């Protein structure tokens, strides 16, 4: 018996085998969950279908979360397919490239709206669409980053969006509590995914992370997948509204400690 045996899990945000959503999907499949996958658009289908096949997912549907109609349609199909859903994972974030460099004060009104729509509102909208057929004991999960709490240079608009996403996690936890459904977020350390590689300064940031984080190890999509299993399993039965860090301890450090990594290696 796996930790998720008998549970139906639908995962949003799979792009390729580097995606955090893929780490979560693989861990869920290993633990016995029945998997459903949703991806953004047609361009991704040829990548996503073979991955879905690897974990025996029998529900693979496109959904651009910018569209209320597409969210309603995927929810309806999920209900027809699964009957009830136990777990929904939201692993989606997007801002225009212009909003991820330079001065934060240069964020455009349209860029602000787009980032909030795709990265924050979509979690709320998916929660609402799936609410009528979420099983008691179920869980919603989203992905966030420390740039919501402290300034991460260039993360800019996404930092503001992640702060709103984390607050949304707490408000949703209150809404869904009486239904017996938990809502949490994982705050992951930097991982070289599609969304991260398109970012200037990411490489240096990824390197310095290793020196600052107490464990001096990079976070992998497997690490995030295993934490996601816990948060969405019955072992986390009384955990809701939390922001759970999977970051090698990076966030607990106040001042950096020069030389700490070298000492560890010696
Ligand atoms: P990724 O590029 O693999 O995943 C991002 C996903 O968002 C893609 O699958 C993309 O198709 C999807 N998406 C974008 N716009 C969409 C839309 N309109 N409709 C539907 N889907 C849409 O990158 P990732 O790093 O795995 O990102 C997943 C989540 O993890 C994001 O919320 C990201 O902010 C968060 N996160 C990433 C890191 C990191 O360092 N990679 C760290 C912490 C948190
Ligand atoms: O949340 C993210 C990625 C967010 C992201 C990345 C892109 C790049 C390509 C959102 N939208 C886009 N739009 C694009 O056109 N991360 C946590 C990874 C990340 O992104 C950063 C980081 C880190 C870490 C951006 C700047 C600084 C640090």
């Amino acid at each position: 018996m796996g930790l998720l045996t008998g549970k139906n899990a639908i995962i949003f945000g799979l792009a390729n085998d580097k995606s955090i959503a893929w780490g979560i999907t693989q861990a869920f499949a290993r633990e016995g969950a029945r998997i459903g996958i949703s991806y953004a658009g047609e361009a991704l289908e040829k990548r996503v279908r073979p991955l879905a096949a690897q974990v025996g997912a029998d529900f693979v549907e496109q959904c651009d979360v910018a569209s209320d109609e597409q969210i309603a349609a995927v929810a309806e199909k999920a209900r027809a397919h699964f009957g009830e859903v136990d777990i929904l994972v939201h692993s989606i974030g997007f801002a225009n490239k212009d909003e991820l460099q330079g001065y934060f004060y240069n964020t455009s009104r349209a860029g602000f709206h787009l980032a909030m729509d795709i990265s924050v509102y979509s979690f709320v909208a998916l929660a609402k669409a799936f609410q009528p057929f979420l099983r008691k004991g179920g869980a919603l999960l989203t992905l966030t980053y420390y740039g919501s709490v402290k300034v991460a240079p260039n993360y800019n608009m996404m930092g503001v969006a992640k702060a709103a996403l984390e607050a949304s996690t707490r408000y949703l936890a209150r809404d869904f509590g009486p239904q017996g459904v938990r809502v949490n977020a994982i705050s992951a350390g930097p991982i070289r995914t599609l969304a991260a590689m398109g970012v200037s300064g990411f490489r240096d940031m990824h390197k310095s992370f290793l020196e600052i984080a107490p464990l001096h190890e990079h976070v992998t999509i497997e690490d995030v997948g295993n934490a996601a299993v816990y948060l969405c399993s019955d072992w986390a039965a009384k955990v809701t509204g939390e922001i759970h860090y999977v970051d090698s301890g990076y966030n607990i450090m106040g001042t950096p400690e020069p030389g700490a990594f070298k000492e560890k290696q010696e």
Side-chain angles (χ1 to χ4, degrees):
M1 267 264 296
L3 293 178
L4 302 178
T5 297
K7 293 191 193 274
N8 299 330
I10 180 157
I11 294 142
F12 288 80
L14 184 58
N16 58 34
D17 66 353
K18 307 282 186 286
S19 293
I20 292 175
W22 180 235
I24 295 173
T25 299
Q26 286 179 295
F28 281 10
R30 181 192 75 213
E31 296 300 335
R34 184 178 174 199
I35 306 286
I37 282 169
S38 178
Y39 59 97
E42 222 149 296
L44 293 173
E45 185 167 1
K46 64 179 187 300
R47 288 235 170 71
V48 169
R49 290 262 172 206
L51 293 175
Q54 268 188 54
V55 293
D58 50 359
F59 181 91
V60 187
E61 292 293 338
Q62 188 180 318
C63 176
D64 178 349
V65 297
S67 158
D68 289 333
E69 291 73 29
Q70 291 190 32
I71 288 175
V74 78
E76 205 170 297
K77 285 178 188 166
R79 186 178 209 161
H81 185 85
F82 292 113
E84 286 186 303
V85 167
D86 299 279
I87 298 169
L88 185 151
V89 176
H90 173 271
S91 185
I92 292 172
F94 187 79
N96 281 323
K97 274 208 126 164
D98 292 350
E99 265 65 51
L100 294 172
Q101 54 200 347
Y103 291 113
F104 171 63
Y105 63 60
N106 283 331
T107 303
S108 69
R109 191 182 296 272
F112 195 104
H113 284 161
L114 179 73
M116 293 296 279
D117 188 24
I118 306 302
S119 311
V120 188
Y121 181 72
S122 63
F123 186 45
V124 181
L126 287 172
K128 177 175 174 151
F130 280 74
Q131 183 277 329
F133 56 100
L134 285 175
R135 194 181 280 148
K136 189 177 163 66
L140 309 182
L141 181 70
T142 189
L143 274 298
T144 185
Y145 177 63
Y146 188 48
S148 61
V149 178
K150 300 286 182 185
V151 172
N154 298 316
Y155 198 60
N156 294 6
M157 183 59 225
M158 278 306 296
V160 172
K162 291 302 193 189
L165 180 68
E166 291 173 20
S168 300
T169 300
R170 291 184 284 272
Y171 279 90
L172 289 172
R174 186 256 183 172
D175 288 352
F176 280 90
Q179 196 183 329
V181 171
R182 301 174 298 98
V183 188
N184 293 293
I186 288 177
S187 186
I191 304 175
R192 297 172 68 165
T193 62
L194 195 63
M197 294 312 283
V199 152
S200 64
F202 181 84
R203 283 179 74 95
D204 291 342
M205 213 275 273
H206 192 250
K207 254 180 86 182
S208 68
F209 173 89
L210 213 55
E211 285 162 31
I212 296 168
L215 292 174
H216 303 297
E217 291 200 74
H218 280 128
V219 175
T220 67
I221 62 171
E222 288 76 22
D223 294 326
V224 177
N226 288 332
V229 167
Y230 158 70
L231 284 172
C232 296
S233 78
D234 298 339
W235 292 106
K238 303 294 153 59
V239 180
T240 196
E242 287 294 324
I243 313 302
H244 183 76
Y245 282 83
V246 178
D247 70 343
S248 296
Y250 185 95
N251 78 95
I252 69 163
M253 295 305 290
T255 60
E257 186 179 2
F261 186 38
K262 264 181 94 184
E263 273 164 44
K264 189 202 154 169
Q265 286 177 312
E266 276 160 9

